[in-house]
Amino acid sequence: PRDSMIEIDTIISAFDAAAYNKKPKTFTMPNRGPRYNSCELCGSFDEWQVKHEMSFDPFTNQWFVTQHCKPGVDFFYKYVINGEQWVVNDDEDNRDDGSGNVNNFGHIPI
């Protein structure tokens, strides 16, 4: 039974190491004009597979969400307004991805 406890500790440690290797980054999108019904974040940090729901802050009039990203890895992302309109935040860095798509660009230092 002791060997299985060591194995479980090793597995948990590996899981914790993967989680701790990521750093939090808060993404924000200003709400210009009438308030959007929703705003989501989608990006290369999870292969564009997940739309992360953002929260609205009425005091700053912006949407926000915190994601945990790998340091030292470049990532691209966009915001999805009202579930259908994919936009970049012009207040943040943006780049062409080489396929003619302009996305926001991020990088977390190591």
Side-chain angles (χ1 to χ4, degrees):
R2 182 71 188 126
D3 289 343
S4 63
M5 287 303 292
I6 293 171
E7 186 177 324
I8 288 172
D9 289 344
T10 303
I11 292 168
I12 291 172
S13 296
F15 179 80
D16 286 346
Y20 291 129
N21 282 338
K22 294 185 176 185
K23 292 188 178 177
K25 167 151 176 52
T26 300
F27 296 84
T28 59
M29 178 66 184
N31 195 120
R32 296 189 171 99
R35 180 165 166 198
Y36 311 139
N37 293 323
S38 68
C39 188
E40 298 161 304
L41 173 72
C42 194
S44 63
F45 37 77
D46 51 18
E47 309 301 325
W48 301 92
Q49 296 301 307
V50 180
K51 290 181 182 173
H52 301 275
E53 187 176 331
M54 300 179 75
S55 300
F56 183 71
D57 180 355
F59 295 103
T60 60
N61 200 40
Q62 66 183 2
W63 296 84
F64 67 96
V65 68
T66 300
Q67 281 298 108
H68 290 81
C69 302
K70 289 180 186 173
V73 177
D74 294 347
F75 54 88
F76 293 95
Y77 58 97
K78 276 193 163 172
Y79 298 94
V80 185
I81 306 297
N82 297 334
E84 57 190 37
Q85 186 180 2
W86 292 66
V87 299
V88 295
N89 180 347
D90 290 327
D91 299 337
E92 299 171 342
D93 287 342
N94 58 65
R95 295 188 181 172
D96 188 300
D97 66 0
S99 300
N101 302 305
V102 175
N103 299 306
N104 283 119
F105 169 81
H107 180 90
I108 296 177
I110 296 176

